[in-house]
Amino acid sequence: MRLLDKDFELFVTQQEIESAIARIAQEISRDYGEKCPLFVGVLNGCFRFSGEFFKHYNGACEVSFVKMASYQGLTSTGIVETLLDVSAPVDGRDIIILEDIVDSGRTLQQLVNHFADKNISSFKIATLFYKPAAYTKEYEVAYKGIEFPNEFVVGYGLDYNERGRELNDLYILTSRWKT
Ligand code: IMP
Ligand code: MG
């Protein structure tokens, strides 16, 4: 499968991804069943994850989105800005971040900082994909879907230069093309 100048191969199927999402939704339902958490999806990558997540989450909740930017092409630029902020009031709320993937953790750290000076009740991260070898931060990721090595992937919301987000399965950069 080719996107722009790069070749990718099938890595994780939609079925495996969606059973991981169902599991995360069950874990969070169990932990927050009596509360009304505010889910904050991180755009654009979280759109598939969040859509599937709420098929399985069955408690009272609110849903909002933020938009950050850090990636250009295959590597993080190190610059993370907030392009869109949470629209709902966050005072006293239990916040759960919905991230597509945690890589270096820079975006996550920025989100932690963003909420640190707000008067929220609790803060947890749920990520669909996780690269433990790339993660350089101390902050504990509470809910993780699928862990894999430090490789570049696309599909199920994740992009390569904005391509591939619509793909139903997850694809990995073919090694002979690795930069
Ligand atoms: P971090 O700030 O380095 O943890 O990167 C987090 C963000 O970078 C994610 O929300 C993704 O948008 C993007 N990202 C990280 N790894 C990949 C990847 O393998 N493919 C596509 N996007 C990625
Ligand atoms: Mg993203």
Side-chain angles (χ1 to χ4, degrees):
M1 196 271 301
R2 196 167 175 83
L3 293 173
L4 302 170
D5 59 336
K6 298 277 185 282
D7 284 317
F8 295 86
E9 56 196 78
L10 183 63
F11 186 46
V12 185
T13 65
Q14 180 175 11
Q15 200 189 345
E16 292 172 85
I17 296 168
E18 293 184 347
S19 62
I21 297 173
R23 175 179 50 76
I24 297 175
Q26 275 156 22
E27 290 172 7
I28 299 179
S29 304
R30 184 197 60 207
D31 297 351
Y32 287 81
E34 305 303 301
K35 297 178 176 158
C36 180
L38 171 60
F39 288 98
V40 177
V42 184
L43 294 171
N44 294 326
C46 78
F47 81 101
R48 294 292 298 258
F49 174 29
S50 49
E52 184 65 22
F53 180 88
F54 292 106
K55 292 185 192 169
H56 304 279
Y57 188 80
N58 40 38
C61 65
E62 289 178 24
V63 185
S64 191
F65 293 93
V66 286
K67 188 164 185 174
M68 325 284 285
S70 81
Y71 254 72
Q72 224 156 51
L74 299 178
T75 52
S76 179
T77 58
I79 304 155
V80 185
E81 12 160 15
T82 312
L83 303 172
L84 171 75
D85 206 350
V86 181
S87 55
V90 297
D91 251 52
R93 302 306 305 269
D94 295 297
I95 307 285
I96 304 171
I97 300 291
L98 298 178
E99 257 278 34
D100 53 355
I101 188 164
V102 172
D103 184 24
S104 71
R106 225 178 267 128
T107 308
L108 191 154
Q109 188 64 55
Q110 187 68 12
L111 284 161
V112 171
N113 297 347
H114 185 76
F115 286 98
D117 59 354
K118 304 204 166 43
N119 195 21
I120 60 173
S121 169
S122 69
F123 184 85
K124 289 271 173 3
I125 309 276
T127 187
L128 176 53
F129 303 117
Y130 182 60
K131 301 182 192 173
Y135 188 61
T136 58
K137 310 288 180 193
E138 306 278 286
Y139 195 85
E140 190 213 338
V141 181
Y143 304 98
K144 301 181 194 102
I146 299 172
E147 301 192 14
F148 49 78
N150 198 359
E151 305 284 353
F152 190 81
V153 291
V154 290
Y156 213 83
L158 290 110
D159 71 301
Y160 167 53
N161 285 344
E162 296 305 326
R163 299 295 183 88
R165 293 193 194 276
E166 76 288 0
L167 299 166
N168 291 322
D169 304 292
L170 192 72
Y171 293 80
I172 188 165
L173 186 66
T174 305
S175 48
R176 68 178 188 277
W177 289 108
K178 234 181 257 171
T179 48

